[in-house]
Amino acid sequence: MGAVTLKVADLDNMIKYYTHALPLQVIDQQGSSAIIGRGNRPLVILEHAPELQHASRRAAGLFHTAILFETETALAAALYTAAQYAPNSFTGSADHLVSKAFYFNDPEGNGIELYWDRDRSEWSWVHGQVEMDNLLLDPNQYLRDYLTEDAIQNPVIGGAEIGHVHLQVGDLAGARKFYVDWLGFDATKANFPGALFVSAGGYHHHMAMNIWNSQGAGRRDNTLGLGQVDIVLPSKDALGEVTERVKHYGVQVADDGRTVRFEDPWANELRIQAADA
């Protein structure tokens, strides 16, 4: 997964949140946009769009952007800075068996997950479906177990990347048709109430779609929130295959020679590109 672009009303305030609370870094800022990430890896792109309105909670769009940390100490450092800078943005936590996760909302209501993966050897698969759950995970105990003095002094430690992106959609059958049958993801968890989890390469999920708030939602209006989701494929050949597949199913595609853009049935915009481009 590549960066997630967000359209925001207050660019300065959002930059402060993502660089103080998570903590990430400004990689580049030009005019009305800022690229936020860790090291040289962009994670979130903030685009100033003060003319737009907030979307309805029941509309299709972003459920959360999930940032994956290399180590539990790095995750604990991010949890600690969020607790110090913006404690009211915390919304919950869970042990998902494959991962440990903490959830937040940024100042404009965009969901965020901060998480760490257990080793793949510890994941359990039954009939091609990964076993996941929502078990109790105490954030205070997690900090006691994994936060170090070095991490408090320097919370920008270790690598981080976009692990997955979770969307709100109008119906799961349509989501499965688009993301599995057309786009080519594997369905890794199709029996979770109200949600579908999909991935490539045996990961637990690179994308998820749910109808918990948005069942029956139609195409999105142009609002604050999700701008686009970037997906990076391993090669130009893979990019070409996906492009031809979605065209075959009648998806309207914009191809500039390096990236390919198209929308899912709810007007969530996807941009795909090749890692070797």
Side-chain angles (χ1 to χ4, degrees):
M1 300 303 294
V4 172
T5 299
L6 301 176
K7 298 176 183 178
V8 304
D10 188 334
L11 181 61
D12 290 342
N13 191 42
M14 291 286 275
I15 290 172
K16 288 178 182 177
Y17 181 85
Y18 279 89
T19 57
H20 288 76
L22 294 191
L24 302 174
Q25 301 156 304
V26 176
I27 296 175
D28 188 29
Q29 183 175 0
Q30 295 184 10
S32 61
S33 68
I35 300 174
I36 310 294
R38 179 68 67 90
N40 293 319
R41 183 191 293 270
L43 301 180
V44 178
I45 300 171
L46 304 175
E47 293 186 346
H48 195 210
E51 73 282 1
L52 299 181
Q53 300 296 312
H54 287 278
S56 163
R57 186 170 179 268
R58 301 188 62 80
L62 182 68
F63 188 68
H64 63 236
T65 300
I67 300 173
L68 173 63
F69 291 86
E70 278 186 336
T71 67
E72 291 200 82
T73 298
L75 174 57
L79 176 62
Y80 176 78
T81 59
Q84 294 296 304
Y85 182 81
N88 292 334
S89 69
F90 177 74
T91 60
S93 57
D95 183 331
H96 294 308
L97 301 181
V98 294
S99 62
K100 298 178 184 180
F102 301 92
Y103 296 92
F104 301 83
N105 283 333
D106 73 19
E108 298 191 6
N110 300 294
I112 302 165
E113 176 182 341
L114 308 180
Y115 77 111
W116 167 83
D117 273 337
R118 288 188 169 88
D119 189 83
R120 291 193 181 206
S121 64
E122 299 181 51
W123 303 355
S124 177
W125 295 80
V126 178
H127 303 302
Q129 299 287 289
V130 67
E131 294 290 291
M132 294 194 291
D133 207 335
N134 288 307
L135 304 180
L136 179 67
L137 180 60
D138 182 347
N140 293 310
Q141 186 61 51
Y142 194 85
L143 290 175
R144 287 191 288 269
D145 289 343
Y146 298 105
L147 186 64
T148 65
E149 188 62 35
D150 287 345
I152 292 174
Q153 298 301 319
N154 178 28
V156 183
I157 57 172
E161 60 186 284
I162 298 296
H164 64 269
V165 177
H166 196 146
L167 301 176
Q168 295 192 163
V169 298
D171 72 276
L172 295 184
R176 184 176 185 120
K177 179 185 290 185
F178 182 85
Y179 285 96
V180 177
D181 299 344
W182 295 4
L183 197 50
F185 280 113
D186 298 317
T188 54
K189 188 73 172 175
N191 58 356
F192 196 91
L196 171 68
F197 299 82
V198 304
S199 85
Y203 192 54
H204 53 74
H205 67 294
H206 287 110
M207 296 194 73
M209 306 90 210
N210 77 63
I211 55 170
W212 300 326
N213 301 316
S214 56
Q215 186 166 11
R219 289 176 62 82
R220 298 176 57 209
D221 295 325
N222 185 22
T223 62
L224 295 170
L226 182 64
Q228 72 180 18
V229 175
D230 283 356
I231 299 173
V232 183
L233 300 182
S235 67
K236 292 179 181 177
D237 288 343
L239 176 60
E241 290 172 9
V242 170
T243 303
E244 290 307 310
R245 187 184 305 127
V246 296
K247 283 182 177 178
H248 170 76
Y249 289 107
V251 177
Q252 296 298 308
V253 167
D255 186 347
D256 65 7
R258 295 184 62 255
T259 63
V260 177
R261 297 172 185 262
F262 49 86
E263 295 178 344
D264 76 5
W266 301 275
N268 296 305
E269 184 172 310
L270 309 177
R271 180 175 68 177
I272 58 175
Q273 55 193 307
D276 61 0

